Amino acid sequence: MLLVFIVLMRLYACTDTTPRSSAPARYTDDRTAHEDGLGYHRRGLYGDAEAAFRFALELEPENPQYHYVLGAALHAQSRYGDAETAFHRATELAPDYAAPRIALGKMLYDVRGDAPRSLALLRSVLEVAPESSEARFALGKILQREGDTEAVEMYSTISHEAPEYGPAQTQLGMCYLQAGESDSARLALEQAARVSPYDPKPFIGLSQALWRLGESAAAQRMLEKSSELERQAEQLRPHLDAVRQNPHHAPAHYNLGVNYARFGRYRQARAQFLRALELEPSYGHAHQGMGILYQRRNEEQRALESYLKAVATDSTLAVSHNNLGLLYQKRGKLEKALQSFETAVRMEPETASFYANLGKSYLDLDQLAQAEITVHRALELDPTLLGVRDLLGDVRAQKGEVRRALEIWESIPADRSVDGQLQQKIRTAREELEGEQR
Amino acid sequence: MLAIPYRWFGRPGFGRGLIWPVARPVGRWISVCLRPLTTLSLVPLPLCLVLQEGAHQQSAVRAASTPQFVDETRRAGVTFRNATGSPEKRYVIETQSAGVGLWDYDMDGSLDIFFTNGAPLEDTEPSRALEGNALYHNDGDGLFEDVTSQAGVGGVSAWSMGCTVADYDNDGDPDLYVTRWGANTLYRNEGNGSFVDVTDVAGVGDDSWGVGSSFGDYDGDGHVDLYVANYIDFRLHGPPYYDRWCVYNGIPAACGPAGFEATPDVLYHNGGDGRFTDVSDMAGIRGRSHYGMGVAWGDLDDDSDLDLYVANDGHPNSLFRNEGSGRFVDVALLSGTAYSGTGRPQAGMGVALGDYDNDGDLDIFVTNFSQDHNTLYRNDGDDIFADVTGAVGMAGPSRPFMGWGTFFFDFDNDGNQDVFVANGHLMPAIDRAGVDLGYRQRNLLFRNTGRGRFEDVSRAAGPGLTVEKVSRGAAYGDYDNDGDLDVVVANLDDTPTLLRNDGGHVGNWLMIKLQGTASSRDGIGARVRVVSDEMADQLREVNSGSSFQSQSDSRVHFGLGQAGEVQIEVRWPNGALQILEEVSVNSQLTIREEP
């Protein structure tokens, strides 16, 4: 029996995500002011962002980009009139500059509902930047909200030119749905779901398309999928906020990664761990996270290296020690495995699974008394760990107490007994006992 | 009394009318009433015909201009002033109250008005002293008198939100239910101008923060049941946001609802003995709780039982389809009515049901936050709806406004249901922030062209629609009994707005009051269809509640344009049909359910 208690990741304890305003410095360099302003904006500190951009403009008053970002900061503070002025100034200074026109076009519609002006502005962007998917998407959204079927054309163009642009695929499907074209909606939304597998929207749309096509069971499944993704989004939200507020804080990225991993979103988890390591190369938790991802993919050498880096930078990482033990065990390096499990238990003496792995290690080394004590300790800490009872049976069997071992194995609930190895052990033990009786 | 020969109900291709069970082959006149309304008196038919001629003359001079709404509040003697917490609105509770009911509590034929009121909070500077709710009696000549104390519906110590009206005990007079931040109250109408608080006996004193409420007989047993939409678990001195301001788009705002626990809605079954039972769990309406606001009962799938639509703030809206066995299933997500057409949750506030396109089924209109659009869901049948807000021209014009009370009504009597929206922002600080949006906002009136489009006629519909206040509840009804629909709007920390419709009755009209016998007394849930050779058939359902925390005239009104005689078809909640032919226009009539 291979008893593996891989311990998954835990959240880093302290991540203060509260946005705090700090009075911007008096800049002497417009670029620094601009960069700082962008940082404030990302963190939701729009007043500080505005101040930084204004400093940048004092030093470089004709810079269209600075006017644009100032407009964005003003927009975020609901100062729409001032934002409009800033966006206009940016476009005056750089008539081919798409971003302020797009921002202005969106704002005019969102805030004032001024569809004609908004559409005209966005169309003018496409004249100077016909490849701008962002402008086309913004235009599509307004057309869609205004019930104009030209929206389909906009989204179709995007999905043709940029098939990985998920939101456009989704909205194309939603347009078809509202128009009663359920088959087309289904195709577009299936594509959207492929492109954006963690976005609930395409799945909701898909459920509606399937419902309209009479496939109610499939519709229900899509609805459940969307609900699950919404639940995940809800749980991820504070961690995403933390990253937004603290984009240079390695633990924030690590925590987000852990939560992605919890939902099986390993690619996203990996990106966050790598970002954490980029920010802080000696951040043990992130190495540990990478190790777990590698281990899941059976890339054992890379997992081993990551765990070694993890414990080298932070020797208290019990999970890494435990998982290192498992890797050593698999490679037959039983003494090294034992040492790793012992370290894990020393670091976290209240974790049942560490004791279970240590018990297995003692068993492998035929240290049966130690194994029994250790496995009992694991069961004390967590009596629900059914695999540990299986292990206890192994220890008894190894000690020659076959009847007792059989009793333990047979006491494991039937739903756990489907394990073929356990069933085989039970059969063998029964045969052995029957042989003794004969 | 006029016996009418049997005719198959509905017309081929008209909605799905043919599936309605036919209980009785004939309908009969109960009463045809002329101004002033005497609801149950029988009036000889010839007199009707004389007046009908007059109505035709009136129609001939119909002007092309939009009817005008005139603010009659002061002249009508309505001096009530809402007071809801502090002027700065530090807590989310202070941003709401101001429901309104337009109903004839004393059965004298003229609509009276009930206003709900907030209250001061103990640790804030109140905007006004505690006064409680108010009931104004309509003397029939355009003047109103405050009769709150005689009626006993002031509820001074409570923070009231909304109201809904129905004859829950089938004794012939309308009763009143008031939602509150705290225990809700059911007032039984004693029939002598006074009310008695029967909440405890009836068992409907849910003490969550109730917002919208509506009576509807979901199981067809002849007794109206009650649905209450609850908002959040807000305690003044409790977590999560006590003594804190939040920031919304750079503007200080009361925290919430995000961050608060949603409190579950409640469905009460009326046992017919004056007592209600909470059947929320059994009925399946208590799944995941949302921030409930507007509520409306209506037969949205045209299967002869009442379904329920709930507008939820920032959460998916709910469409509870009545399975006919006392159970409901939420089909909002699948039907396309949970989110906007782009798949986003919106901040649902008020809700209205009506057949805007005269195709024989009920469509849904939901009001939402500013910088978003109110949403019109067209009913395409088979539990399928389409967001047609933009296609009908209502998206852009609604974006700058924060919508609350709303209803479908035919204000110009042209046979097409128009839409009214009461607006007002949440954050007083918005006025000091130098932004485009205002705390006080004007209300919106959309005229239905009858060709699949709505026109924003707010600026052309009279001085009453230029009034800018912080509106919440809104109700409609013909308070002056002149054949067109007037409007009353409840405003936060302010006087209400009573809008008299001048000129709406240039088109012909009918006002119908139903009186159930086997069905509930006020016929809630009954469908009335008016068939005319000269215009599209029209559908109305008698309902209670809806809009935002408000109660509109429970009589059903039909604008009939140039139409002369019409046929009236009534489908009672138990499925029985009653047909009245050759009905004269420009009259008010009461139809009593055939026993």
Side-chain angles (χ1 to χ4, degrees), chain A residues 47 50 54 71 73-84 107, chain B residues 249 433-436:
Chain A
E50 178 195 344
R54 287 196 189 281
L74 292 164
H75 183 186
Q77 297 174 80
S78 303
R79 291 159 60 187
Y80 307 115
D82 294 341
E84 186 174 348
M107 190 183 80
Chain B
N249 284 356
V435 306
D436 288 14

Side-chain angles (χ1 to χ4, degrees), chain B residues 400-423:
Chain B
F401 302 94
M402 190 177 294
W404 300 85
T406 188
F407 40 79
F408 288 102
F409 75 139
D410 185 0
F411 81 96
D412 52 359
N413 287 359
D414 68 347
N416 300 302
Q417 293 210 73
D418 313 295
V419 170
F420 182 89
V421 182
N423 298 306

Side-chain angles (χ1 to χ4, degrees), chain A residues 330-388:
Chain A
K330 201 169 176 187
R331 291 176 176 203
K333 297 180 177 175
L334 301 182
E335 290 294 344
K336 288 185 87 165
L338 183 68
Q339 281 173 18
S340 294
F341 291 134
E342 282 176 339
T343 310
V345 163
R346 203 164 48 248
M347 296 295 161
E348 281 188 29
E350 301 302 317
T351 304
S353 54
F354 293 172
Y355 278 98
N357 286 335
L358 179 60
K360 174 70 170 62
S361 196
Y362 283 131
L363 178 65
D364 290 343
L365 289 165
D366 215 21
Q367 298 177 26
L368 302 182
Q370 281 294 84
E372 189 167 356
I373 293 166
T374 310
V375 173
H376 272 299
R377 177 67 184 142
L379 279 172
E380 275 169 26
L381 289 167
D382 186 355
T384 64
L385 274 178
L386 295 177
V388 185

Side-chain angles (χ1 to χ4, degrees), chain A residues 38 257 264 285 328 355 413:
Chain A
L38 292 178
H285 284 84
Y328 288 136
Y355 278 98

Side-chain angles (χ1 to χ4, degrees), chain A residues 46 75-82 84 109-115 141 144-148 155 170-171 174-175 177-179 201 204 207-208 211-212 216 219-220 223 226-227 230 234, chain B residues 248-251 288 321 331-336 339-344 370-373 378 380 382-391 395-397 399-400 433-437 453:
Chain A
Y46 304 117
H75 183 186
Q77 297 174 80
S78 303
R79 291 159 60 187
Y80 307 115
D82 294 341
E84 186 174 348
Y109 185 72
D110 285 343
V111 177
R112 298 190 187 141
D114 189 346
K141 280 293 273 286
Q144 181 185 8
R145 286 174 177 153
E146 288 296 302
D148 190 325
Y155 296 138
T170 302
Q171 293 309 328
M174 298 307 283
C175 283
L177 206 54
Q178 302 310 320
K201 266 192 203 173
I204 293 171
S207 72
Q208 291 175 18
W211 175 259
R212 285 156 171 71
S216 51
Q220 202 60 47
L223 210 51
S226 73
S227 297
E230 278 172 355
E234 213 165 281
Chain B
Y248 179 80
N249 284 356
I251 300 163
R288 188 175 169 190
R321 186 179 64 198
V331 295
L333 281 166
L334 290 170
S335 66
Y339 297 137
S340 72
T342 60
R344 276 182 319 104
S370 56
Q371 298 182 43
D372 195 354
H373 60 73
R378 186 188 62 214
D380 289 342
D382 299 323
D383 290 333
I384 294 170
F385 289 78
D387 174 353
V388 294
T389 319
R399 291 191 79 86
V435 306
D436 288 14
L437 299 170
R453 298 282 296 180

